[in-house]
Amino acid sequence: MAVKHAIITGLVAIVGLFYFSSVNGLTCLSCDSVVNITDCLTQKATCTDIDEQCYLDKVILPDLSTVFSGGCRSKQVCDLIASSVGKRDTVACAQCCDKPVNNSTQIPCNGYLCNQNPQPAGSTCGVCDRVGDPTDCAIDQQCQPTEVCKVNTVFSGGAIKYELGCEQKTVSYCF
């Protein structure tokens, strides 16, 4: 009887620990309508519900520029949105994840969704023009401290291609 009680107590403790770490352990990038995924690196959110996941949305605006939004979202909403991407004209990508922070980069899992690979300012970035996949880029360049890595999506020859390189953290527009 004592062995059975010890096993049950141990299982309850493990389930409770799993629940506690799931509720309090998921950290996500948090941003709203930023031009570059690296703009999200300074803001993080901690999901407070066991049913939440990190998300990243990539939206194409009417002027064909791209913006990103990320944070915590319920798994049900993630599942619903995943089934409708491509049916709405402006949402190029909407993905969710529930992995812990990458220990080597300290970047939450949603930083790597939608074909993104964020790098802190002053990092080495891929520099390629119109590759089929950002991971195919084999040329690197050291960005200036005022620059961040960029990945632009373009349509070329009827296919989606990617342009990678460095760009200024802030861009000034003249009208």
Side-chain angles (χ1 to χ4, degrees):
M1 186 68 163
V3 171
K4 186 176 179 182
H5 178 59
I7 291 172
I8 291 172
T9 303
L11 288 174
V12 169
I14 290 170
V15 170
L17 179 62
F18 176 74
Y19 176 79
F20 180 75
S21 65
S22 296
V23 170
N24 296 311
L26 191 59
T27 300
C28 309
L29 295 180
S30 178
C31 52
D32 186 32
S33 300
V34 298
V35 175
N36 193 307
I37 188 66
T38 56
D39 295 338
C40 298
L41 294 179
T42 59
Q43 298 291 327
K44 295 190 174 120
T46 301
C47 298
T48 58
D49 189 329
I50 192 169
D51 190 41
E52 286 183 319
Q53 295 181 338
C54 298
Y55 79 92
L56 184 68
D57 291 344
K58 181 178 178 182
V59 177
I60 300 173
L61 301 176
D63 67 357
L64 299 181
S65 63
T66 303
V67 295
F68 296 92
S69 295
C72 296
R73 175 182 282 163
S74 78
K75 182 176 179 349
Q76 288 81 13
V77 172
C78 285
D79 293 343
L80 180 64
I81 289 175
S83 67
S84 66
V85 170
K87 296 175 184 164
R88 296 181 290 165
D89 294 342
T90 61
V91 178
C93 177
Q95 295 179 339
C96 297
C97 60
D98 59 359
K99 305 284 186 257
V101 171
N102 182 318
N103 287 332
S104 64
T105 64
Q106 295 301 305
I107 297 175
C109 64
N110 61 334
Y112 299 99
L113 298 176
C114 300
N115 289 321
Q116 298 303 299
N117 188 17
Q119 301 293 322
S123 296
T124 301
C125 302
V127 180
C128 289
D129 186 37
R130 299 184 183 187
V131 292
D133 186 317
T135 59
D136 292 340
C137 186
I139 303 169
D140 290 328
Q141 170 184 334
Q142 181 72 30
C143 294
Q144 298 299 317
T146 59
E147 295 178 321
V148 293
C149 299
K150 70 164 183 164
V151 178
N152 288 336
T153 306
V154 295
F155 293 99
S156 177
I160 295 175
K161 300 288 183 176
Y162 300 93
E163 297 176 342
L164 294 86
C166 299
E167 73 178 1
Q168 292 294 318
K169 285 184 190 178
T170 57
V171 179
S172 300
Y173 293 98
C174 298
F175 293 99

PDB file of all heavy atoms in Angstrom, residues 115-146:
ATOM      1  N   ASN A 115       9.830  31.156 -42.190  1.00  0.00           N
ATOM      2  CA  ASN A 115      11.134  31.231 -42.864  1.00  0.00           C
ATOM      3  C   ASN A 115      12.020  32.355 -42.358  1.00  0.00           C
ATOM      4  O   ASN A 115      12.815  32.910 -43.113  1.00  0.00           O
ATOM      5  CB  ASN A 115      10.957  31.370 -44.386  1.00  0.00           C
ATOM      6  CG  ASN A 115      10.455  30.098 -45.015  1.00  0.00           C
ATOM      7  OD1 ASN A 115      10.865  29.020 -44.626  1.00  0.00           O
ATOM      8  ND2 ASN A 115       9.559  30.223 -45.969  1.00  0.00           N
ATOM      9  N   GLN A 116      11.911  32.703 -41.091  1.00  0.00           N
ATOM     10  CA  GLN A 116      12.730  33.775 -40.527  1.00  0.00           C
ATOM     11  C   GLN A 116      13.927  33.196 -39.786  1.00  0.00           C
ATOM     12  O   GLN A 116      13.885  32.081 -39.282  1.00  0.00           O
ATOM     13  CB  GLN A 116      11.901  34.647 -39.589  1.00  0.00           C
ATOM     14  CG  GLN A 116      10.746  35.345 -40.290  1.00  0.00           C
ATOM     15  CD  GLN A 116      11.216  36.196 -41.450  1.00  0.00           C
ATOM     16  OE1 GLN A 116      11.988  37.133 -41.280  1.00  0.00           O
ATOM     17  NE2 GLN A 116      10.771  35.859 -42.651  1.00  0.00           N
ATOM     18  N   ASN A 117      14.980  33.981 -39.714  1.00  0.00           N
ATOM     19  CA  ASN A 117      16.188  33.604 -38.979  1.00  0.00           C
ATOM     20  C   ASN A 117      16.781  34.882 -38.391  1.00  0.00           C
ATOM     21  O   ASN A 117      17.777  35.400 -38.897  1.00  0.00           O
ATOM     22  CB  ASN A 117      17.184  32.906 -39.906  1.00  0.00           C
ATOM     23  CG  ASN A 117      18.352  32.337 -39.132  1.00  0.00           C
ATOM     24  OD1 ASN A 117      18.287  32.175 -37.917  1.00  0.00           O
ATOM     25  ND2 ASN A 117      19.429  32.046 -39.829  1.00  0.00           N
ATOM     26  N   PRO A 118      16.164  35.416 -37.347  1.00  0.00           N
ATOM     27  CA  PRO A 118      16.593  36.719 -36.823  1.00  0.00           C
ATOM     28  C   PRO A 118      17.989  36.682 -36.217  1.00  0.00           C
ATOM     29  O   PRO A 118      18.386  35.694 -35.616  1.00  0.00           O
ATOM     30  CB  PRO A 118      15.548  37.035 -35.764  1.00  0.00           C
ATOM     31  CG  PRO A 118      15.069  35.699 -35.309  1.00  0.00           C
ATOM     32  CD  PRO A 118      15.116  34.814 -36.529  1.00  0.00           C
ATOM     33  N   GLN A 119      18.703  37.756 -36.402  1.00  0.00           N
ATOM     34  CA  GLN A 119      20.036  37.916 -35.843  1.00  0.00           C
ATOM     35  C   GLN A 119      20.100  39.266 -35.146  1.00  0.00           C
ATOM     36  O   GLN A 119      19.560  40.245 -35.658  1.00  0.00           O
ATOM     37  CB  GLN A 119      21.099  37.882 -36.947  1.00  0.00           C
ATOM     38  CG  GLN A 119      21.102  36.600 -37.762  1.00  0.00           C
ATOM     39  CD  GLN A 119      21.516  35.400 -36.950  1.00  0.00           C
ATOM     40  OE1 GLN A 119      22.400  35.485 -36.113  1.00  0.00           O
ATOM     41  NE2 GLN A 119      20.877  34.272 -37.193  1.00  0.00           N
ATOM     42  N   PRO A 120      20.747  39.359 -34.004  1.00  0.00           N
ATOM     43  CA  PRO A 120      20.893  40.650 -33.327  1.00  0.00           C
ATOM     44  C   PRO A 120      21.700  41.625 -34.172  1.00  0.00           C
ATOM     45  O   PRO A 120      22.437  41.224 -35.067  1.00  0.00           O
ATOM     46  CB  PRO A 120      21.643  40.307 -32.033  1.00  0.00           C
ATOM     47  CG  PRO A 120      21.548  38.833 -31.895  1.00  0.00           C
ATOM     48  CD  PRO A 120      21.330  38.271 -33.258  1.00  0.00           C
ATOM     49  N   ALA A 121      21.569  42.926 -33.881  1.00  0.00           N
ATOM     50  CA  ALA A 121      22.308  43.961 -34.597  1.00  0.00           C
ATOM     51  C   ALA A 121      23.797  43.671 -34.541  1.00  0.00           C
ATOM     52  O   ALA A 121      24.313  43.190 -33.546  1.00  0.00           O
ATOM     53  CB  ALA A 121      22.014  45.326 -33.986  1.00  0.00           C
ATOM     54  N   GLY A 122      24.488  43.972 -35.638  1.00  0.00           N
ATOM     55  CA  GLY A 122      25.922  43.739 -35.707  1.00  0.00           C
ATOM     56  C   GLY A 122      26.279  42.296 -35.992  1.00  0.00           C
ATOM     57  O   GLY A 122      27.438  41.916 -35.929  1.00  0.00           O
ATOM     58  N   SER A 123      25.304  41.477 -36.333  1.00  0.00           N
ATOM     59  CA  SER A 123      25.531  40.056 -36.585  1.00  0.00           C
ATOM     60  C   SER A 123      25.994  39.809 -38.012  1.00  0.00           C
ATOM     61  O   SER A 123      25.930  40.680 -38.866  1.00  0.00           O
ATOM     62  CB  SER A 123      24.235  39.278 -36.366  1.00  0.00           C
ATOM     63  OG  SER A 123      23.842  39.353 -35.034  1.00  0.00           O
ATOM     64  N   THR A 124      26.404  38.583 -38.245  1.00  0.00           N
ATOM     65  CA  THR A 124      26.713  38.142 -39.590  1.00  0.00           C
ATOM     66  C   THR A 124      25.424  37.624 -40.208  1.00  0.00           C
ATOM     67  O   THR A 124      24.731  36.809 -39.611  1.00  0.00           O
ATOM     68  CB  THR A 124      27.767  37.021 -39.561  1.00  0.00           C
ATOM     69  OG1 THR A 124      28.936  37.527 -38.935  1.00  0.00           O
ATOM     70  CG2 THR A 124      28.107  36.536 -40.941  1.00  0.00           C
ATOM     71  N   CYS A 125      25.114  38.121 -41.401  1.00  0.00           N
ATOM     72  CA  CYS A 125      23.865  37.759 -42.074  1.00  0.00           C
ATOM     73  C   CYS A 125      24.157  37.185 -43.452  1.00  0.00           C
ATOM     74  O   CYS A 125      25.160  37.528 -44.071  1.00  0.00           O
ATOM     75  CB  CYS A 125      22.978  38.986 -42.256  1.00  0.00           C
ATOM     76  SG  CYS A 125      22.549  39.817 -40.739  1.00  0.00           S
ATOM     77  N   GLY A 126      23.240  36.370 -43.926  1.00  0.00           N
ATOM     78  CA  GLY A 126      23.328  35.879 -45.289  1.00  0.00           C
ATOM     79  C   GLY A 126      23.075  37.023 -46.256  1.00  0.00           C
ATOM     80  O   GLY A 126      22.292  37.936 -45.975  1.00  0.00           O
ATOM     81  N   VAL A 127      23.762  37.006 -47.398  1.00  0.00           N
ATOM     82  CA  VAL A 127      23.574  38.015 -48.440  1.00  0.00           C
ATOM     83  C   VAL A 127      23.361  37.272 -49.747  1.00  0.00           C
ATOM     84  O   VAL A 127      24.303  36.740 -50.327  1.00  0.00           O
ATOM     85  CB  VAL A 127      24.792  38.958 -48.551  1.00  0.00           C
ATOM     86  CG1 VAL A 127      24.562  39.992 -49.648  1.00  0.00           C
ATOM     87  CG2 VAL A 127      25.071  39.629 -47.227  1.00  0.00           C
ATOM     88  N   CYS A 128      22.107  37.194 -50.187  1.00  0.00           N
ATOM     89  CA  CYS A 128      21.771  36.489 -51.420  1.00  0.00           C
ATOM     90  C   CYS A 128      20.609  37.193 -52.106  1.00  0.00           C
ATOM     91  O   CYS A 128      19.775  37.821 -51.451  1.00  0.00           O
ATOM     92  CB  CYS A 128      21.374  35.041 -51.119  1.00  0.00           C
ATOM     93  SG  CYS A 128      22.749  34.014 -50.600  1.00  0.00           S
ATOM     94  N   ASP A 129      20.557  37.018 -53.416  1.00  0.00           N
ATOM     95  CA  ASP A 129      19.505  37.624 -54.213  1.00  0.00           C
ATOM     96  C   ASP A 129      18.683  36.524 -54.866  1.00  0.00           C
ATOM     97  O   ASP A 129      19.204  35.737 -55.661  1.00  0.00           O
ATOM     98  CB  ASP A 129      20.126  38.532 -55.279  1.00  0.00           C
ATOM     99  CG  ASP A 129      19.084  39.317 -56.052  1.00  0.00           C
ATOM    100  OD1 ASP A 129      18.088  39.743 -55.434  1.00  0.00           O
ATOM    101  OD2 ASP A 129      19.251  39.489 -57.273  1.00  0.00           O
ATOM    102  N   ARG A 130      17.424  36.442 -54.484  1.00  0.00           N
ATOM    103  CA  ARG A 130      16.455  35.536 -55.097  1.00  0.00           C
ATOM    104  C   ARG A 130      16.833  34.060 -55.014  1.00  0.00           C
ATOM    105  O   ARG A 130      16.970  33.378 -56.021  1.00  0.00           O
ATOM    106  CB  ARG A 130      16.173  35.968 -56.526  1.00  0.00           C
ATOM    107  CG  ARG A 130      15.582  37.356 -56.535  1.00  0.00           C
ATOM    108  CD  ARG A 130      15.195  37.835 -57.868  1.00  0.00           C
ATOM    109  NE  ARG A 130      14.726  39.211 -57.700  1.00  0.00           N
ATOM    110  CZ  ARG A 130      14.182  39.920 -58.634  1.00  0.00           C
ATOM    111  NH1 ARG A 130      14.018  39.407 -59.810  1.00  0.00           N
ATOM    112  NH2 ARG A 130      13.785  41.147 -58.395  1.00  0.00           N
ATOM    113  N   VAL A 131      16.959  33.587 -53.777  1.00  0.00           N
ATOM    114  CA  VAL A 131      17.171  32.154 -53.551  1.00  0.00           C
ATOM    115  C   VAL A 131      15.825  31.507 -53.236  1.00  0.00           C
ATOM    116  O   VAL A 131      14.904  32.159 -52.753  1.00  0.00           O
ATOM    117  CB  VAL A 131      18.186  31.891 -52.415  1.00  0.00           C
ATOM    118  CG1 VAL A 131      19.579  32.335 -52.820  1.00  0.00           C
ATOM    119  CG2 VAL A 131      17.768  32.553 -51.120  1.00  0.00           C
ATOM    120  N   GLY A 132      15.716  30.209 -53.505  1.00  0.00           N
ATOM    121  CA  GLY A 132      14.471  29.488 -53.277  1.00  0.00           C
ATOM    122  C   GLY A 132      14.148  29.266 -51.816  1.00  0.00           C
ATOM    123  O   GLY A 132      12.996  29.103 -51.447  1.00  0.00           O
ATOM    124  N   ASP A 133      15.170  29.231 -50.976  1.00  0.00           N
ATOM    125  CA  ASP A 133      14.997  29.009 -49.546  1.00  0.00           C
ATOM    126  C   ASP A 133      16.086  29.805 -48.834  1.00  0.00           C
ATOM    127  O   ASP A 133      17.250  29.737 -49.238  1.00  0.00           O
ATOM    128  CB  ASP A 133      15.142  27.520 -49.242  1.00  0.00           C
ATOM    129  CG  ASP A 133      14.829  27.165 -47.803  1.00  0.00           C
ATOM    130  OD1 ASP A 133      15.267  27.905 -46.892  1.00  0.00           O
ATOM    131  OD2 ASP A 133      14.164  26.148 -47.577  1.00  0.00           O
ATOM    132  N   PRO A 134      15.727  30.558 -47.771  1.00  0.00           N
ATOM    133  CA  PRO A 134      16.748  31.350 -47.072  1.00  0.00           C
ATOM    134  C   PRO A 134      17.934  30.518 -46.580  1.00  0.00           C
ATOM    135  O   PRO A 134      19.051  31.013 -46.510  1.00  0.00           O
ATOM    136  CB  PRO A 134      15.992  31.958 -45.889  1.00  0.00           C
ATOM    137  CG  PRO A 134      14.577  32.000 -46.322  1.00  0.00           C
ATOM    138  CD  PRO A 134      14.395  30.793 -47.211  1.00  0.00           C
ATOM    139  N   THR A 135      17.714  29.231 -46.304  1.00  0.00           N
ATOM    140  CA  THR A 135      18.816  28.394 -45.830  1.00  0.00           C
ATOM    141  C   THR A 135      19.775  28.015 -46.955  1.00  0.00           C
ATOM    142  O   THR A 135      20.851  27.478 -46.695  1.00  0.00           O
ATOM    143  CB  THR A 135      18.283  27.109 -45.154  1.00  0.00           C
ATOM    144  OG1 THR A 135      17.499  26.377 -46.107  1.00  0.00           O
ATOM    145  CG2 THR A 135      17.441  27.445 -43.931  1.00  0.00           C
ATOM    146  N   ASP A 136      19.405  28.298 -48.215  1.00  0.00           N
ATOM    147  CA  ASP A 136      20.288  28.028 -49.351  1.00  0.00           C
ATOM    148  C   ASP A 136      21.362  29.103 -49.510  1.00  0.00           C
ATOM    149  O   ASP A 136      22.275  28.946 -50.318  1.00  0.00           O
ATOM    150  CB  ASP A 136      19.489  27.944 -50.661  1.00  0.00           C
ATOM    151  CG  ASP A 136      18.586  26.727 -50.706  1.00  0.00           C
ATOM    152  OD1 ASP A 136      18.832  25.776 -49.937  1.00  0.00           O
ATOM    153  OD2 ASP A 136      17.630  26.731 -51.503  1.00  0.00           O
ATOM    154  N   CYS A 137      21.255  30.188 -48.771  1.00  0.00           N
ATOM    155  CA  CYS A 137      22.201  31.294 -48.898  1.00  0.00           C
ATOM    156  C   CYS A 137      23.530  30.906 -48.239  1.00  0.00           C
ATOM    157  O   CYS A 137      23.587  30.607 -47.050  1.00  0.00           O
ATOM    158  CB  CYS A 137      21.636  32.552 -48.230  1.00  0.00           C
ATOM    159  SG  CYS A 137      22.656  34.004 -48.494  1.00  0.00           S
ATOM    160  N   ALA A 138      24.610  30.907 -49.033  1.00  0.00           N
ATOM    161  CA  ALA A 138      25.920  30.475 -48.540  1.00  0.00           C
ATOM    162  C   ALA A 138      26.901  31.637 -48.394  1.00  0.00           C
ATOM    163  O   ALA A 138      28.058  31.425 -48.062  1.00  0.00           O
ATOM    164  CB  ALA A 138      26.493  29.424 -49.483  1.00  0.00           C
ATOM    165  N   ILE A 139      26.465  32.874 -48.649  1.00  0.00           N
ATOM    166  CA  ILE A 139      27.345  34.043 -48.552  1.00  0.00           C
ATOM    167  C   ILE A 139      26.966  34.825 -47.307  1.00  0.00           C
ATOM    168  O   ILE A 139      25.794  35.141 -47.089  1.00  0.00           O
ATOM    169  CB  ILE A 139      27.211  34.937 -49.804  1.00  0.00           C
ATOM    170  CG1 ILE A 139      27.532  34.124 -51.052  1.00  0.00           C
ATOM    171  CG2 ILE A 139      28.120  36.150 -49.686  1.00  0.00           C
ATOM    172  CD1 ILE A 139      27.167  34.825 -52.335  1.00  0.00           C
ATOM    173  N   ASP A 140      27.949  35.144 -46.475  1.00  0.00           N
ATOM    174  CA  ASP A 140      27.713  35.891 -45.243  1.00  0.00           C
ATOM    175  C   ASP A 140      28.384  37.254 -45.292  1.00  0.00           C
ATOM    176  O   ASP A 140      29.381  37.444 -45.981  1.00  0.00           O
ATOM    177  CB  ASP A 140      28.253  35.129 -44.033  1.00  0.00           C
ATOM    178  CG  ASP A 140      27.440  33.895 -43.721  1.00  0.00           C
ATOM    179  OD1 ASP A 140      26.224  33.914 -43.970  1.00  0.00           O
ATOM    180  OD2 ASP A 140      28.025  32.913 -43.240  1.00  0.00           O
ATOM    181  N   GLN A 141      27.806  38.187 -44.545  1.00  0.00           N
ATOM    182  CA  GLN A 141      28.341  39.541 -44.439  1.00  0.00           C
ATOM    183  C   GLN A 141      28.157  40.021 -43.004  1.00  0.00           C
ATOM    184  O   GLN A 141      27.125  39.765 -42.392  1.00  0.00           O
ATOM    185  CB  GLN A 141      27.584  40.467 -45.400  1.00  0.00           C
ATOM    186  CG  GLN A 141      27.876  41.930 -45.226  1.00  0.00           C
ATOM    187  CD  GLN A 141      27.017  42.786 -46.153  1.00  0.00           C
ATOM    188  OE1 GLN A 141      26.588  42.330 -47.208  1.00  0.00           O
ATOM    189  NE2 GLN A 141      26.747  43.995 -45.750  1.00  0.00           N
ATOM    190  N   GLN A 142      29.147  40.715 -42.469  1.00  0.00           N
ATOM    191  CA  GLN A 142      29.039  41.309 -41.136  1.00  0.00           C
ATOM    192  C   GLN A 142      28.256  42.610 -41.253  1.00  0.00           C
ATOM    193  O   GLN A 142      28.657  43.508 -41.993  1.00  0.00           O
ATOM    194  CB  GLN A 142      30.433  41.578 -40.553  1.00  0.00           C
ATOM    195  CG  GLN A 142      30.418  42.178 -39.164  1.00  0.00           C
ATOM    196  CD  GLN A 142      29.990  41.179 -38.102  1.00  0.00           C
ATOM    197  OE1 GLN A 142      30.211  39.991 -38.228  1.00  0.00           O
ATOM    198  NE2 GLN A 142      29.381  41.663 -37.044  1.00  0.00           N
ATOM    199  N   CYS A 143      27.143  42.720 -40.553  1.00  0.00           N
ATOM    200  CA  CYS A 143      26.358  43.952 -40.569  1.00  0.00           C
ATOM    201  C   CYS A 143      26.979  44.978 -39.631  1.00  0.00           C
ATOM    202  O   CYS A 143      27.661  44.622 -38.664  1.00  0.00           O
ATOM    203  CB  CYS A 143      24.915  43.677 -40.127  1.00  0.00           C
ATOM    204  SG  CYS A 143      24.000  42.633 -41.268  1.00  0.00           S
ATOM    205  N   GLN A 144      26.710  46.229 -39.898  1.00  0.00           N
ATOM    206  CA  GLN A 144      27.141  47.325 -39.034  1.00  0.00           C
ATOM    207  C   GLN A 144      26.303  47.299 -37.754  1.00  0.00           C
ATOM    208  O   GLN A 144      25.194  46.762 -37.735  1.00  0.00           O
ATOM    209  CB  GLN A 144      26.973  48.671 -39.751  1.00  0.00           C
ATOM    210  CG  GLN A 144      27.810  48.786 -41.013  1.00  0.00           C
ATOM    211  CD  GLN A 144      29.293  48.672 -40.720  1.00  0.00           C
ATOM    212  OE1 GLN A 144      29.799  49.252 -39.770  1.00  0.00           O
ATOM    213  NE2 GLN A 144      29.989  47.887 -41.527  1.00  0.00           N
ATOM    214  N   PRO A 145      26.783  47.927 -36.675  1.00  0.00           N
ATOM    215  CA  PRO A 145      25.998  47.961 -35.431  1.00  0.00           C
ATOM    216  C   PRO A 145      24.635  48.630 -35.596  1.00  0.00           C
ATOM    217  O   PRO A 145      23.720  48.361 -34.830  1.00  0.00           O
ATOM    218  CB  PRO A 145      26.881  48.762 -34.474  1.00  0.00           C
ATOM    219  CG  PRO A 145      28.264  48.578 -34.999  1.00  0.00           C
ATOM    220  CD  PRO A 145      28.122  48.477 -36.495  1.00  0.00           C
ATOM    221  N   THR A 146      24.478  49.477 -36.612  1.00  0.00           N
ATOM    222  CA  THR A 146      23.195  50.148 -36.856  1.00  0.00           C
ATOM    223  C   THR A 146      22.306  49.358 -37.809  1.00  0.00           C
ATOM    224  O   THR A 146      21.246  49.829 -38.199  1.00  0.00           O
ATOM    225  CB  THR A 146      23.432  51.551 -37.455  1.00  0.00           C
ATOM    226  OG1 THR A 146      24.168  51.398 -38.685  1.00  0.00           O
ATOM    227  CG2 THR A 146      24.187  52.432 -36.485  1.00  0.00           C
TER     228      THR A 146
END
